Structure formats: C-alpha cells, structure tokens
DNA sequence: TCTCTAAAGCGGACATTAAC
DNA sequence: GTTAATGTCCGCTTTAGAGA
C-alpha cells in the first residue's frame, strides 16, 4: 500500500499506523522522478516533484470491521463515530473531549476541502497570480495592497500594457488596420478588452482584500477600492478610444452552421464504416459525433455538456426523446439547473438522439460500460464525452485531422452555445376594440385562427396569456407534446422550457379570409402604396435608444439611426463594396439579403419591443378623476398622464435621463397626440405583418434571458436560423 | 503551463403589462 | 392600487479557448 503523507492527515491515519508491520519512504516532498506520469511518449519520470512525502507499507495486519447500523458502511470494530454517515451508534450523547477534537478536525478538513474547491478554479488561480504580480510591483514603489492608490494601479496597468501583443498602428502607418503585420515600429499593447478584464480582476482583488466601495479622496483621507477611481476609469476609456482610432480589429468567434455539422457527421460516419478501425478510435468517433450533434441541437454550452454524467440523461418512457438535467456548469449550480428535452430529428445523420444511442450501444459492444468508471479513473466514462472542448492537456482523445479536407478548419470553435435560439414569438394580435395586444409570449400552436382571435377581446386575452400553452394549468412535471410541430414543452417546478428541434417554424396558419381582416389588409396596402414616406428628421443621436429602429414595416423602412448603428443592431454583413446607398436602401438591402434564408412565412420583427410601449392605447373613459382624459379639440393632452396602472390605459410619459434640462420624452414626444390617427397608425404598422404572418422572430433579446434558456448570444442565433431555414 | 483575448454571464435600473 | 412577471439597456465581472 502506498500512502501519501499530507499536511492534514486523514482521520484513519492512527488506525492505519497501528495496523502496519513495516514501511519505507518512497520519496520526500519535492523529489523528482519518483513517480512515472503518462505522456504521449508513454510513462515518463515526473518532473514536478512530489507534493508530499510518499510512504509504502506492507504486511498489514488484519483489522476487524463492523458495519454501521445506520448506513451499513464498514468501520473499525470499536468505532464510536461512523466514518461515512457520522452516526454515533448507541452513544449516550455526551460530548467528550475526543468528540470535540473529532468535530474540530472534521470541520478543519471540510473547510480545507471547500476552500480548495474554490481556489482550484482557473479564474481564482489567475487572480492569485495577478495578486502576486501586483504586490511585487507595489513593493518596488514602497507600497502594498493597503496603501496602493489609483495612480499605482494606473502605473501597474501601463506596465502590463507594455507586454501586450496587439499592434497599435500609428495613424500614419501604412499598415493601419492590419492586425497580422507586425514588422513596423508601432508599439504592441494589450487589447482594450484585456485591460478592462485586468482592471476587473484587480478590483476583485482589492474587494476581497477588504478595500471595497468607490474610491474617495479628500485631503489626507483616502479609502475605497483604488480601481474604482476616476483615474483608472479614464485610463480604460482612453485605451479603448486609442484602439478604436487605431482601427484595431476585433476578431470574433466563427459560428458553426448546420452544413458544417453535417460535414463532420459525414466524416465521422465514414470513419466508423471502416471495419479495420481500432476500438479505441471507434469509441472516440462515436462519442464525438454524439457530442457535436447533441450540442448543436441542445444549444448547450460545450463545457456544460462535457460535465454531463450518464445518470443525468434519461430516456423518456413514452417517446424517443431524451431528458437532460444539468446541475453543474458555468452558470449552473447554486440552485440553478438546466433541464431540457432533446427530440429526434428526421435526418438520422445529425440526429442527436440517434447518435447518443449509437454511442452507448457502440461502447457496450466494445465492453465499455458507460455507467461505470474505468479502473483508475475517478469520473464516469460519460464525462469523457467532453473531449472536443476539454482543455489541453486532456486525457481524452481528440478528433484527428484531416478535417481540413472537408473544409472544416481546426480553428473553428466548438459550437459555442452561450446563446439561445431566436424563438418564435406569437404575433401581437390586434383588435379594433382593444387596440395593441400585450407583451409577446412564447406560443406553440399548429393552427391559430387569427380571424377568431381578432374578433373578440376574450380571444385576445386567451391568446396573450400563457394559458394557451397550458403551462399554468398543467401540473408540474407533466409533459405537453405537440406532435405535429415536433415540439416539446417540458414543465417542471424549476423551469419551463420550450424545446424545439426541428420544425417550429414550419407551423402554418390558416389563411384569414374574413371581411374585417380583408378590410384591414386592403386599407393597409392602399396606405403603403399611396402614403409618402415620411421625411426622417435629424435629431441628436443621444436622444434615441440604441435599439430603436423607427417604423416596423420593412417595406417602408426609415430610420434615424446611423449606418453603424444599423449594422451593429442587425449584426449581419453589409455589402460594403456596393455603391453607397441611402440609409433606407441599405436597411432594406440588409433585410432582404441577410434574412433571405428564413422561410417565407417567418416575419422578422426588426422593431424593438419597446416600440410597443410608445404606442397610444385606446382611451378607456372609466370616470375616474385620476384617469380623466383631457381633450383639446380632437387631441389628447398627455402631458400629465403618469404611468401608474393599466387603468390609465393610454400613453404614458416615461421619465428618461435629462438632456439639456429636459427629459427625453419632453424633448421627443408630442405633447398633443391625435388619438385616432395615431392609433390607426400603430395598428397598421405594428400588427399588419403579425396578422399576415403567424409568427415572427424576435429581433432583439437579452443575454441570459431565461426565455431563451440560460444563455443568449449571437452564435446560437445564427445557428438556429441556419438550421431552421432548411 | 501561462498569457492574452473574445465572449458572455450577471444584476441593477428603469420601463411596462397582466392579473387580481 | 398592488403585485408579479416581463422587457430593455448597460456596466461590471467571469470564463473559455487559442497560441506562445
């Protein structure tokens, strides 16, 4: 038996010592070459040295064991305290001195264990390293963490800045904007994002050191976090500006689309068809194919999926779908879990369910039991599913080249999925009686009769509440299947997910052919054809929220935003080589070209959601003096109407930041609004496409918005659109 | 293994709506 | 009128992965 002699000796150490007949020292702490460690070249002598003394014992005496009455685990026959469940057996309950020591020991051991759990995280190790650097820098200035000032921090950042690798070309440099060229005399600095990140880490270091709060400096009194000071903030701002001026390009992640997933799957399947393939490689291929396809359709983060254990995956009894339940991950834990259902897709090649099943059955054929950890490994084999994203070095094998032959470059990131699909949202169903419908909700239905919805307020209410999903009325842990759309809603206490795998966008709605609908359409078409496009008023940029794109109808686009804002908003490629276009034409071009892969019945709502809140709702005269509407002629005076409740059922004045002494609303909103005219305008612009097209894509979303699952980001958006445009 | 970097998570502030 | 839930923006903080 080989025993490590650690700083904190285990509780069973005395017991073990008594049972040993003979022992020798194999190596002392720090000694090199005592152990052989695995490497690509086989087992090689350890170059790091032992972390503690290593002993070898032999001739262990027979120890008499006794089972614990509570948990059944084996303990020494004279045990007074079960090593496993803590039961004290038939003890009287009096706390002896020994028990106190034992408690103290156990507490100490547990604290050490918990501390290690935190300190072993990569980020924490990095902070410790940074802290050391900072301290040694401060020593050079005769300072320490207690006495460091904002100026010290700025100098430290400048010191680090000199070690950067990002070329900041001078404006006169011919290589301005060229990231690759590094032979000119322009300086290399840290990228602005890195400096920000560095500052955040420094701030966290000072916070944990006890120097929290804003930096305050008044005469000799100086306290707070020096990183929170204006000096450091201005430094960061200046660095960002400098690099923006120097045209430092920001490299963005390369998304992986469905076509690439298919190529990977084709490649792996071809390899698997080779009967000469060695079992080890076969296992890797099976595992990686399952991983790639699962990650693509689950929208799961690679690292989260990599941490998935076999027992976290359940096969639903009444369908082929799989239920995943992640409890550990980047944002999981702490009471937060990620639970979702993966349904099969028709294309077996990329079907995540099919591929996972093949992985499991293939492993079984190779006598690899996925439910048991292999000898010598602590983790279940299923954990090794993570190989494509595991950090290097990893004991898990990687997918081997030549992926390049299939146009799959190794630089492609694994499917980054800190991101959600763009979900289908229901139309905001309008009604001549109740006006603009409420907030959009997630809706899955195969046949929505828009006509009937429009007709009655009751229908509108039904439509706009979650009752249509049956979520509220459904008992927890019931599944609601919508077989036609191949979409599963899984309702649990912790969260409700709508999981769409394949055809959520292929939902069709009955064509509306009633008179009222037709009338609206006719009016609208007429207006669109005859009404001149309003001239865009030029207003200061700061008056507008960045997400606002005025007007919701793509066919008569107009905007107050600059080209850059439009581009950043839509985040899709513009045709820069084309002759310059007007803003309207450019936006039209973007909308028509970039989204052309969308199915024809999908309407992309590029207007912001907040647009709705700017609309005038129909006036409800309910006699309340507080809600009394002041008419001036045929117009409504909205100046004194405050937002309080729904009873003030018309325009609200939204307090905003002050701009030159006026609120944004005062500056931009009309005080007098033609009630009927505006309502019609709203109805037409806001809802027409919704009526014509049953579903629209939500154009903006919040990162981390739970409606889009835990994560939201552009990678998944692009992926999702791509997969559903087939 | 460490450094650098891009990407994304998180939560506050503010705004809005539905339901009661 | 109150409350819970939803929607949007933004700054701060944390994380993962590439590459030296």
């Amino acid at each position: 038996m080989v025993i490590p002699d650690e700083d904190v000796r285990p509780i069973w150490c005395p017991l073990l010592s008594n049972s040993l007949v003979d022992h020798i020292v194999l190596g002392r702490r720090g000694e090199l070459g005592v152990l052989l460690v695995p490497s690509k070249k086989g087992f090689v002598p350890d170059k790091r040295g032992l972390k503690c003394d290593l002993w070898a014992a032999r001739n262990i005496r027979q120890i008499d064991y006794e089972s614990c009455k509570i948990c059944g685990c084996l303990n020494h026959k004279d045990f007074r305290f079960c090593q496993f469940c803590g039961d004290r057996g038939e003890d009287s309950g009096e706390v002896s001195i020994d028990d106190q020591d034992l408690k103290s020991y156990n507490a100490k051991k547990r604290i050490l264990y918990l501390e290690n759990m935190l300190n072993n995280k990569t980020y924490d190790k990095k902070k410790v390293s940074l802290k050391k650097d900072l301290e040694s820098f401060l020593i050079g200035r005769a300072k320490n963490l207690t006495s460091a000032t904002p100026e010290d921090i700025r100098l430290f950042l400048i010191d680090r800045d000199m070690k950067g690798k990002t070329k900041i070309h001078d404006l006169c440099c011919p290589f301005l904007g060229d990231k690759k060229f590094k032979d000119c005399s322009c300086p290399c600095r840290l990228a602005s994002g890195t400096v920000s990140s560095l500052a955040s880490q420094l701030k966290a270091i000072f916070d944990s050191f006890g120097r929290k709060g804003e930096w305050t400096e008044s005469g000799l009194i100086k306290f707070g976090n020096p990183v929170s000071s204006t000096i450091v903030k201005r430094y960061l701002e200046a660095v960002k500006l400098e690099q923006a001026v120097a045209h430092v390009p920001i490299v963005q992640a390369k998304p992986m689309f469905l076509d690439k997933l298919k190529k990977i799957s084709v490649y792996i399947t071809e390899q698997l068809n080779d009967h000469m393939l060695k079992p080890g490689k076969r296992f890797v291929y099976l595992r990686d194919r399952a991983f790639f396809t699962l990650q693509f359709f689950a929208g799961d983060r690679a690292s989260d999926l990599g941490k998935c254990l076999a027992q976290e995956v359940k096969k639903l009894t009444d369908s082929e779908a799989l239920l995943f339940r992640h409890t550990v991950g980047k944002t999981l834990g702490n009471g937060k879990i990620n639970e979702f259902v993966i349904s099969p897709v028709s294309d077996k090649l990329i079907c995540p369910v099919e591929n996972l099943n093949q992985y499991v059955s293939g492993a079984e054929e190779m006598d690899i039991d996925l439910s048991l950890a292999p000898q010598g490994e602590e983790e279940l084999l299923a954990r090794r599913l993570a190989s494509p994203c595991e950090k290097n070095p990893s004991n898990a094998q990687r997918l081997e080249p030549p992926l390049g032959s299939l146009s799959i470059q190794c630089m492609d990131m694994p499917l980054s999925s800190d991101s959600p699909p763009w979900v289908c949202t229901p139309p905001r169903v309008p009604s001549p009686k109740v006006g603009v419908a409420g907030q959009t909700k997630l809706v899955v239905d195969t046949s929505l009769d828009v006509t009937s919805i429009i007709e009655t307020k009751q229908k509108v209410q039904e439509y706009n509440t979650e009752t249509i999903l049956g979520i509220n009325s459904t008992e927890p842990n019931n599944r609601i299947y919508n077989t036609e759309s191949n979409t599963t809603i899984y309702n649990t206490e912790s969260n409700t997910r709508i999981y769409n795998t394949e055809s959520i966008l292929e939902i069709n709605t009955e064509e509306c052919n009633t008179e009222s609908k037709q009338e609206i359409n006719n009016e609208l078409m007429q207006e669109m054809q005859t009404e001149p496009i309003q001239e865009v008023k030029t207003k200061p940029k700061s008056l507008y929220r960045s997400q606002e794109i005025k007007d919701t109808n793509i066919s008569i686009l107009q905007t107050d935003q600059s080209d850059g804002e439009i581009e950043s908003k839509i985040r899709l490629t513009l045709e820069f080589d084309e002759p310059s276009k007007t803003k309207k034409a450019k936006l039209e071009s973007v909308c028509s070209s970039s989204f052309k892969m969308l199915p024809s019945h999908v309407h992309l709502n590029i207007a912001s959601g907040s647009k709705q809140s700017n609309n005038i709702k129909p006036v409800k005269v309910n006699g309340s003096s507080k809600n009394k509407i002041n008419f001036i002629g045929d117009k409504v005076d909205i100046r004194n109407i405050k937002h309080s409740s729904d009873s003030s059922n018309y325009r609200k004045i939204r307090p905003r930041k002050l701009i030159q002494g006026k609120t944004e609303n005062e500056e931009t909103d009309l005080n007098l609004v033609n009630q009927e005219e505006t309502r019609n305008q709203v109805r037409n612009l806001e809802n027409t496409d919704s009526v014509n097209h049953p579903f629209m894509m939500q154009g903006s979303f919040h990162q981390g918005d739970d409606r889009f699952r835990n994560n939201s980001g552009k990678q998944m958006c692009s992926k999702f659109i791509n997969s559903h445009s087939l």
Side-chain angles (χ1 to χ4, degrees), chain A residues 218-278:
Chain A
S218 176
L220 292 175
I221 302 171
K222 295 174 183 175
F223 62 90
N225 193 325
V227 188
S228 303
S229 63
T230 313
I231 289 178
V232 176
K233 283 178 183 169
R234 283 182 63 80
Y235 173 75
L236 297 176
E237 202 177 323
V239 168
K240 283 179 188 170
L241 182 63
E242 181 193 34
Q243 299 194 10
V245 169
H247 294 208
V248 174
I250 294 173
V251 180
Q252 301 209 303
K254 200 173 176 181
M256 190 186 281
F257 292 126
L258 194 63
D259 60 335
K260 203 159 283 183
L261 180 73
K262 281 188 173 176
K263 285 176 183 172
I264 292 174
S265 202
V266 166
Y267 172 76
I268 294 177
T269 306
E270 280 175 1
Q271 300 302 311
L272 288 169
N273 288 338
D274 180 2
H275 297 293
M276 302 298 285
L277 192 66
K278 291 179 181 174

Side-chain angles (χ1 to χ4, degrees), chain A residues 617-636:
Chain A
K617 300 187 78 176
V619 175
K620 186 171 73 179
V621 182
N622 57 10
S624 165
S625 59
K626 287 184 180 176
N627 294 325
K628 190 176 179 182
I629 300 153
N630 298 316
F631 285 94
I632 301 176
D634 61 343
K635 297 186 176 182
V636 183

